[in-house]
Amino acid sequence: RILANIAITSIKSFFFAILTSLIWGVAPALEKAGLNSRIDPFLGVVIRTIPIAVIAFAAAIFLGRLSSISTVDTKSAAFIAAGGIVASLIGQIVFYTALKDGEVSLVVPVAATYPLVALLISIVFLGEVFTWQKFAGAGLVVAGVMFLR
């Protein structure tokens, strides 16, 4: 029974990972089309963020989760906010700067090597174990990016 639950969880996680890949694969093409000569990367992030904030806030109200915010501890909220600032603000501005002048087919795969950074941070700061499978996966990511040059 435990193995069945693990398999179902793994399948669900894998499905959502693939769905994420598909969704995130579409977004850069839309963003590249929007980053014309009149829109600088910072303004692009601002324009991108407004509908996200409005829709997320409305969804939190509709789903009845807005009141749950008061139950989140300060440390957890600070880490999530810091991650948002690093990834969704600073990272997105840097990404848009690369995307504005670069080819989507090159910029996106190079930017998508961020799991290598996450792997290193997870090992150094979170104490996760570095296995030969993770090493092989990291090597394949690096090799894949090298082929794009």
Side-chain angles (χ1 to χ4, degrees):
R1 177 143 175 99
I2 293 173
L3 289 177
N5 287 340
I6 292 171
I8 290 170
T9 302
S10 296
I11 291 169
K12 181 180 176 184
S13 297
F14 185 75
F15 169 77
F16 278 103
I18 293 296
L19 186 58
T20 301
S21 175
L22 294 173
I23 292 167
W24 285 354
V26 170
L30 297 171
E31 294 163 336
K32 172 71 173 179
L35 287 170
N36 59 41
S37 60
R38 296 181 310 242
I39 298 178
D40 69 274
F42 178 78
L43 183 57
V45 171
V46 171
I47 292 168
R48 177 186 196 261
T49 303
I50 292 170
I52 294 169
V54 170
I55 292 168
F57 189 74
I61 292 171
F62 178 76
L63 296 171
R65 294 191 181 164
L66 195 57
S67 61
S68 299
I69 289 177
S70 63
T71 65
V72 177
D73 65 281
T74 306
K75 184 177 178 180
S76 295
F79 276 120
I80 292 171
I85 291 167
V86 169
S88 298
L89 180 63
I90 298 168
Q92 201 66 39
I93 291 168
V94 173
F95 177 67
Y96 276 7
T97 302
L99 195 60
K100 182 173 177 117
D101 297 322
E103 296 178 17
V104 173
S105 61
L106 181 62
V107 170
V108 173
V110 171
T113 62
Y114 70 88
L116 297 175
V117 177
L119 174 66
L120 180 62
I121 289 171
S122 72
I123 292 165
V124 173
F125 295 108
L126 301 177
E128 293 185 8
V129 179
F130 188 66
T131 64
W132 69 269
Q133 292 96 334
K134 291 177 184 178
F135 178 77
L140 290 171
V141 169
V142 171
V145 171
M146 298 286 288
F147 279 114
L148 294 171
R149 293 185 348 173

Short mmCIF file of all heavy atoms in Angstrom, two decimals, residues 104-145:
data_model
loop_
_atom_site.label_atom_id
_atom_site.label_comp_id
_atom_site.label_asym_id
_atom_site.label_seq_id
_atom_site.Cartn_x
_atom_site.Cartn_y
_atom_site.Cartn_z
N VAL A 104 14.94 33.42 -28.41
CA VAL A 104 14.23 32.62 -27.42
C VAL A 104 14.81 31.21 -27.35
O VAL A 104 15.00 30.66 -26.26
CB VAL A 104 12.71 32.55 -27.75
CG1 VAL A 104 11.98 31.59 -26.83
CG2 VAL A 104 12.09 33.93 -27.67
N SER A 105 15.15 30.66 -28.51
CA SER A 105 15.65 29.28 -28.57
C SER A 105 17.02 29.11 -27.91
O SER A 105 17.43 27.99 -27.62
CB SER A 105 15.72 28.80 -30.02
OG SER A 105 16.59 29.63 -30.77
N LEU A 106 17.72 30.19 -27.64
CA LEU A 106 19.00 30.13 -26.95
C LEU A 106 18.88 30.62 -25.50
O LEU A 106 19.37 29.97 -24.58
CB LEU A 106 20.05 30.96 -27.68
CG LEU A 106 21.44 30.96 -27.06
CD1 LEU A 106 22.02 29.55 -27.04
CD2 LEU A 106 22.36 31.89 -27.81
N VAL A 107 18.19 31.74 -25.32
CA VAL A 107 18.06 32.34 -23.98
C VAL A 107 17.34 31.40 -23.01
O VAL A 107 17.79 31.21 -21.88
CB VAL A 107 17.33 33.70 -24.06
CG1 VAL A 107 16.99 34.23 -22.68
CG2 VAL A 107 18.18 34.71 -24.82
N VAL A 108 16.24 30.83 -23.43
CA VAL A 108 15.44 30.00 -22.52
C VAL A 108 16.21 28.76 -22.03
O VAL A 108 16.25 28.52 -20.83
CB VAL A 108 14.08 29.63 -23.14
CG1 VAL A 108 13.34 28.63 -22.28
CG2 VAL A 108 13.24 30.88 -23.34
N PRO A 109 16.82 27.98 -22.91
CA PRO A 109 17.56 26.82 -22.38
C PRO A 109 18.73 27.20 -21.46
O PRO A 109 18.97 26.52 -20.47
CB PRO A 109 18.07 26.11 -23.64
CG PRO A 109 17.16 26.54 -24.72
CD PRO A 109 16.77 27.95 -24.38
N VAL A 110 19.42 28.27 -21.78
CA VAL A 110 20.53 28.69 -20.91
C VAL A 110 19.97 29.13 -19.56
O VAL A 110 20.48 28.73 -18.50
CB VAL A 110 21.37 29.80 -21.56
CG1 VAL A 110 22.37 30.38 -20.57
CG2 VAL A 110 22.08 29.26 -22.79
N ALA A 111 18.91 29.92 -19.57
CA ALA A 111 18.29 30.36 -18.31
C ALA A 111 17.73 29.17 -17.54
O ALA A 111 17.69 29.17 -16.31
CB ALA A 111 17.20 31.38 -18.60
N ALA A 112 17.33 28.15 -18.26
CA ALA A 112 16.73 26.97 -17.63
C ALA A 112 17.76 26.06 -16.99
O ALA A 112 17.41 24.98 -16.50
CB ALA A 112 15.90 26.20 -18.66
N THR A 113 19.01 26.48 -16.95
CA THR A 113 20.01 25.70 -16.21
C THR A 113 19.99 26.03 -14.73
O THR A 113 20.81 25.54 -13.97
CB THR A 113 21.43 25.94 -16.77
OG1 THR A 113 21.76 27.31 -16.62
CG2 THR A 113 21.53 25.50 -18.22
N TYR A 114 19.01 26.82 -14.30
CA TYR A 114 18.92 27.19 -12.89
C TYR A 114 18.84 25.98 -11.95
O TYR A 114 19.25 26.10 -10.78
CB TYR A 114 17.76 28.15 -12.63
CG TYR A 114 16.39 27.54 -12.79
CD1 TYR A 114 15.78 26.91 -11.71
CD2 TYR A 114 15.72 27.60 -14.00
CE1 TYR A 114 14.53 26.34 -11.85
CE2 TYR A 114 14.48 27.03 -14.14
CZ TYR A 114 13.87 26.41 -13.06
OH TYR A 114 12.64 25.84 -13.20
N PRO A 115 18.37 24.81 -12.39
CA PRO A 115 18.42 23.68 -11.47
C PRO A 115 19.85 23.33 -11.01
O PRO A 115 20.03 22.77 -9.93
CB PRO A 115 17.81 22.53 -12.28
CG PRO A 115 16.87 23.21 -13.21
CD PRO A 115 17.59 24.48 -13.59
N LEU A 116 20.84 23.66 -11.83
CA LEU A 116 22.22 23.42 -11.40
C LEU A 116 22.56 24.27 -10.18
O LEU A 116 23.20 23.80 -9.23
CB LEU A 116 23.20 23.73 -12.53
CG LEU A 116 23.07 22.87 -13.78
CD1 LEU A 116 24.01 23.37 -14.87
CD2 LEU A 116 23.35 21.42 -13.46
N VAL A 117 22.11 25.51 -10.20
CA VAL A 117 22.33 26.41 -9.06
C VAL A 117 21.55 25.89 -7.86
O VAL A 117 22.06 25.82 -6.74
CB VAL A 117 21.92 27.86 -9.41
CG1 VAL A 117 22.07 28.76 -8.20
CG2 VAL A 117 22.73 28.37 -10.58
N ALA A 118 20.30 25.49 -8.10
CA ALA A 118 19.46 24.95 -7.01
C ALA A 118 20.08 23.68 -6.43
O ALA A 118 20.05 23.47 -5.21
CB ALA A 118 18.05 24.67 -7.52
N LEU A 119 20.65 22.85 -7.28
CA LEU A 119 21.32 21.63 -6.83
C LEU A 119 22.48 21.96 -5.90
O LEU A 119 22.61 21.41 -4.80
CB LEU A 119 21.82 20.81 -8.03
CG LEU A 119 22.66 19.58 -7.72
CD1 LEU A 119 21.83 18.53 -7.00
CD2 LEU A 119 23.24 19.01 -9.00
N LEU A 120 23.32 22.89 -6.32
CA LEU A 120 24.46 23.29 -5.52
C LEU A 120 24.01 23.88 -4.17
O LEU A 120 24.53 23.51 -3.12
CB LEU A 120 25.32 24.29 -6.28
CG LEU A 120 26.55 24.82 -5.57
CD1 LEU A 120 27.52 23.67 -5.28
CD2 LEU A 120 27.23 25.88 -6.41
N ILE A 121 23.04 24.77 -4.21
CA ILE A 121 22.54 25.39 -2.98
C ILE A 121 21.90 24.35 -2.07
O ILE A 121 22.07 24.40 -0.84
CB ILE A 121 21.57 26.54 -3.32
CG1 ILE A 121 22.37 27.71 -3.91
CG2 ILE A 121 20.78 26.98 -2.10
CD1 ILE A 121 21.54 28.82 -4.47
N SER A 122 21.16 23.40 -2.66
CA SER A 122 20.51 22.38 -1.83
C SER A 122 21.52 21.50 -1.12
O SER A 122 21.28 21.05 0.00
CB SER A 122 19.56 21.52 -2.68
OG SER A 122 20.29 20.66 -3.54
N ILE A 123 22.65 21.28 -1.74
CA ILE A 123 23.69 20.45 -1.13
C ILE A 123 24.46 21.25 -0.07
O ILE A 123 24.63 20.79 1.06
CB ILE A 123 24.65 19.90 -2.21
CG1 ILE A 123 23.90 18.89 -3.07
CG2 ILE A 123 25.89 19.28 -1.58
CD1 ILE A 123 24.61 18.54 -4.36
N VAL A 124 24.86 22.46 -0.41
CA VAL A 124 25.69 23.26 0.48
C VAL A 124 24.89 23.80 1.68
O VAL A 124 25.35 23.72 2.82
CB VAL A 124 26.36 24.43 -0.29
CG1 VAL A 124 27.09 25.37 0.66
CG2 VAL A 124 27.31 23.89 -1.34
N PHE A 125 23.69 24.33 1.43
CA PHE A 125 22.96 25.00 2.49
C PHE A 125 21.83 24.18 3.12
O PHE A 125 21.45 24.44 4.25
CB PHE A 125 22.39 26.33 1.98
CG PHE A 125 23.46 27.32 1.62
CD1 PHE A 125 23.72 27.62 0.30
CD2 PHE A 125 24.22 27.94 2.60
CE1 PHE A 125 24.71 28.53 -0.05
CE2 PHE A 125 25.22 28.84 2.26
CZ PHE A 125 25.46 29.14 0.94
N LEU A 126 21.28 23.24 2.37
CA LEU A 126 20.16 22.45 2.90
C LEU A 126 20.58 21.05 3.32
O LEU A 126 19.77 20.29 3.83
CB LEU A 126 19.02 22.38 1.87
CG LEU A 126 18.44 23.72 1.43
CD1 LEU A 126 17.37 23.51 0.36
CD2 LEU A 126 17.87 24.48 2.62
N GLY A 127 21.83 20.70 3.07
CA GLY A 127 22.33 19.40 3.49
C GLY A 127 21.83 18.21 2.70
O GLY A 127 21.88 17.07 3.17
N GLU A 128 21.33 18.44 1.48
CA GLU A 128 20.87 17.33 0.66
C GLU A 128 22.06 16.53 0.15
O GLU A 128 23.17 17.05 0.03
CB GLU A 128 20.01 17.84 -0.50
CG GLU A 128 18.70 18.45 -0.01
CD GLU A 128 17.77 18.85 -1.15
OE1 GLU A 128 18.06 18.52 -2.33
OE2 GLU A 128 16.74 19.48 -0.85
N VAL A 129 21.83 15.28 -0.15
CA VAL A 129 22.89 14.37 -0.56
C VAL A 129 23.16 14.51 -2.07
O VAL A 129 22.23 14.58 -2.87
CB VAL A 129 22.50 12.91 -0.23
CG1 VAL A 129 23.57 11.94 -0.68
CG2 VAL A 129 22.25 12.77 1.26
N PHE A 130 24.44 14.56 -2.41
CA PHE A 130 24.84 14.61 -3.81
C PHE A 130 25.11 13.18 -4.27
O PHE A 130 26.01 12.52 -3.78
CB PHE A 130 26.10 15.47 -3.97
CG PHE A 130 26.48 15.72 -5.40
CD1 PHE A 130 25.66 16.47 -6.23
CD2 PHE A 130 27.66 15.22 -5.92
CE1 PHE A 130 26.01 16.71 -7.55
CE2 PHE A 130 28.02 15.46 -7.23
CZ PHE A 130 27.19 16.21 -8.05
N THR A 131 24.30 12.69 -5.22
CA THR A 131 24.42 11.32 -5.70
C THR A 131 25.00 11.31 -7.11
O THR A 131 25.05 12.34 -7.78
CB THR A 131 23.04 10.63 -5.72
OG1 THR A 131 22.20 11.32 -6.67
CG2 THR A 131 22.39 10.66 -4.34
N TRP A 132 25.38 10.13 -7.56
CA TRP A 132 25.91 10.04 -8.93
C TRP A 132 24.82 10.33 -9.94
O TRP A 132 25.09 10.85 -11.02
CB TRP A 132 26.56 8.67 -9.16
CG TRP A 132 25.59 7.51 -9.22
CD1 TRP A 132 25.19 6.73 -8.18
CD2 TRP A 132 24.91 7.04 -10.37
NE1 TRP A 132 24.28 5.79 -8.62
CE2 TRP A 132 24.09 5.97 -9.98
CE3 TRP A 132 24.90 7.42 -11.72
CZ2 TRP A 132 23.27 5.27 -10.85
CZ3 TRP A 132 24.08 6.72 -12.59
CH2 TRP A 132 23.29 5.67 -12.16
N GLN A 133 23.54 10.05 -9.61
CA GLN A 133 22.45 10.36 -10.52
C GLN A 133 22.31 11.88 -10.69
O GLN A 133 22.09 12.38 -11.80
CB GLN A 133 21.11 9.78 -10.01
CG GLN A 133 21.04 8.28 -10.04
CD GLN A 133 21.39 7.68 -8.68
OE1 GLN A 133 22.10 8.25 -7.87
NE2 GLN A 133 20.87 6.48 -8.45
N LYS A 134 22.44 12.60 -9.59
CA LYS A 134 22.36 14.06 -9.66
C LYS A 134 23.56 14.61 -10.45
O LYS A 134 23.42 15.55 -11.24
CB LYS A 134 22.32 14.67 -8.26
CG LYS A 134 21.02 14.38 -7.53
CD LYS A 134 21.04 14.93 -6.12
CE LYS A 134 19.77 14.56 -5.37
NZ LYS A 134 19.79 15.04 -3.97
N PHE A 135 24.73 14.02 -10.22
CA PHE A 135 25.93 14.42 -10.96
C PHE A 135 25.73 14.20 -12.46
O PHE A 135 26.03 15.07 -13.28
CB PHE A 135 27.15 13.65 -10.45
CG PHE A 135 28.41 13.98 -11.19
CD1 PHE A 135 29.09 15.17 -10.93
CD2 PHE A 135 28.91 13.12 -12.16
CE1 PHE A 135 30.26 15.48 -11.62
CE2 PHE A 135 30.07 13.42 -12.85
CZ PHE A 135 30.75 14.60 -12.57
N ALA A 136 25.21 13.03 -12.82
CA ALA A 136 24.97 12.71 -14.23
C ALA A 136 23.94 13.66 -14.84
O ALA A 136 24.11 14.15 -15.96
CB ALA A 136 24.51 11.26 -14.38
N GLY A 137 22.88 13.93 -14.10
CA GLY A 137 21.85 14.85 -14.58
C GLY A 137 22.41 16.25 -14.80
O GLY A 137 22.12 16.89 -15.82
N ALA A 138 23.21 16.72 -13.86
CA ALA A 138 23.84 18.03 -14.00
C ALA A 138 24.75 18.06 -15.22
O ALA A 138 24.77 19.04 -15.98
CB ALA A 138 24.61 18.38 -12.73
N GLY A 139 25.51 16.98 -15.42
CA GLY A 139 26.38 16.89 -16.59
C GLY A 139 25.61 16.94 -17.89
O GLY A 139 26.03 17.59 -18.86
N LEU A 140 24.47 16.28 -17.94
CA LEU A 140 23.64 16.30 -19.15
C LEU A 140 23.08 17.69 -19.42
O LEU A 140 22.99 18.12 -20.57
CB LEU A 140 22.51 15.28 -19.03
CG LEU A 140 22.93 13.82 -19.10
CD1 LEU A 140 21.77 12.90 -18.74
CD2 LEU A 140 23.48 13.48 -20.48
N VAL A 141 22.71 18.41 -18.37
CA VAL A 141 22.21 19.77 -18.54
C VAL A 141 23.31 20.65 -19.14
O VAL A 141 23.08 21.38 -20.11
CB VAL A 141 21.72 20.36 -17.19
CG1 VAL A 141 21.47 21.85 -17.30
CG2 VAL A 141 20.47 19.64 -16.72
N VAL A 142 24.49 20.57 -18.58
CA VAL A 142 25.62 21.37 -19.09
C VAL A 142 25.93 20.99 -20.54
O VAL A 142 26.11 21.86 -21.40
CB VAL A 142 26.86 21.19 -18.19
CG1 VAL A 142 28.09 21.83 -18.82
CG2 VAL A 142 26.60 21.77 -16.81
N ALA A 143 25.95 19.71 -20.83
CA ALA A 143 26.22 19.25 -22.20
C ALA A 143 25.15 19.76 -23.17
O ALA A 143 25.47 20.21 -24.28
CB ALA A 143 26.29 17.73 -22.25
N GLY A 144 23.91 19.73 -22.74
CA GLY A 144 22.82 20.21 -23.60
C GLY A 144 22.96 21.68 -23.93
O GLY A 144 22.77 22.10 -25.08
N VAL A 145 23.33 22.47 -22.96
CA VAL A 145 23.51 23.91 -23.20
C VAL A 145 24.71 24.15 -24.11
O VAL A 145 24.68 25.04 -24.97
CB VAL A 145 23.64 24.66 -21.86
CG1 VAL A 145 24.06 26.11 -22.08
CG2 VAL A 145 22.33 24.61 -21.09
#
